[in-house]
Amino acid sequence: AGAAGADGAAPLDVHAVDAHWLQRGISAFVEDANASALLARDVLAALGPDGGDERACETRLVMLLDYDRFDFIKTLLANRSRVFYCTRLKQAQTEAEAEAEEPGFMGKLSSFLFGAEEPAVGSEGVAVEAEPIADFKGFIAEAMAEQGELAPEV
């Protein structure tokens, strides 16, 4: 449990999760943009390290999103770290903000980018086999260029 795909939900491509991916997913069933943004903020907090273990996170997500959205909740739970860390990275305005978000933040993201299995949720000191990327911004710019997206100004 905890690994992407464990509950039948496919692992998300880290390149598909941008700063507003979660809000777009929520706006599919919440019409008001402000309510959607507030709910996305609360859901992101539940997915983060302070969201507790898998059961506590699932309970919180069901309370926030309701049982009717269980397929979306399953996707979020199966990709908990991917959604949380990729969203936070894309929301960061500077590299310093991105690096300051969480100890191990860049290592976890590089493990996702290299296709390593999702780290266990809620565990401390998760060993990441992939080596951190020295020039992370350059790596992201190169990946975006490969997908035909405009790279952010460095």
Side-chain angles (χ1 to χ4, degrees):
D7 294 324
L12 293 172
D13 177 8
V14 294
H15 300 293
V17 181
D18 63 16
H20 302 289
W21 180 89
L22 186 56
Q23 187 174 346
R24 282 193 305 274
I26 291 171
S27 69
F29 51 87
V30 175
E31 291 183 21
D32 181 78
N34 290 329
S36 165
L38 291 173
L39 188 54
R41 184 195 65 202
D42 293 343
V43 168
L44 189 62
L47 294 173
D50 296 333
D53 64 10
E54 189 171 347
R55 177 169 282 169
C57 180
E58 180 177 3
T59 301
R60 181 72 180 134
L61 291 175
V62 168
M63 289 172 50
L64 289 167
L65 300 172
D66 202 11
Y67 291 104
D68 296 343
R69 312 294 178 238
F70 198 70
D71 287 340
F72 186 59
I73 292 170
K74 279 178 31 179
T75 299
L76 293 174
L77 288 172
N79 295 281
R80 181 177 179 178
S81 294
R82 290 175 195 265
V83 171
F84 179 77
Y85 289 110
C86 290
T87 300
R88 293 296 293 261
L89 174 67
K90 303 282 177 78
Q91 288 175 345
Q93 299 295 314
T94 66
E95 187 172 346
E97 285 179 13
E99 290 173 357
E101 289 294 338
E102 171 92 16
F105 181 79
M106 298 305 245
K108 288 179 184 182
L109 281 173
S110 65
S111 73
F112 300 153
L113 292 169
F114 287 119
E117 186 174 310
E118 175 119 357
V121 175
S123 63
E124 295 297 321
V126 173
V128 177
E129 292 181 19
E131 295 193 18
I133 301 168
D135 178 18
F136 195 76
K137 279 187 134 179
F139 179 81
I140 294 295
E142 183 179 315
M144 290 175 75
E146 287 176 9
Q147 293 196 3
E149 299 177 19
L150 292 176
E153 293 290 324
V154 182

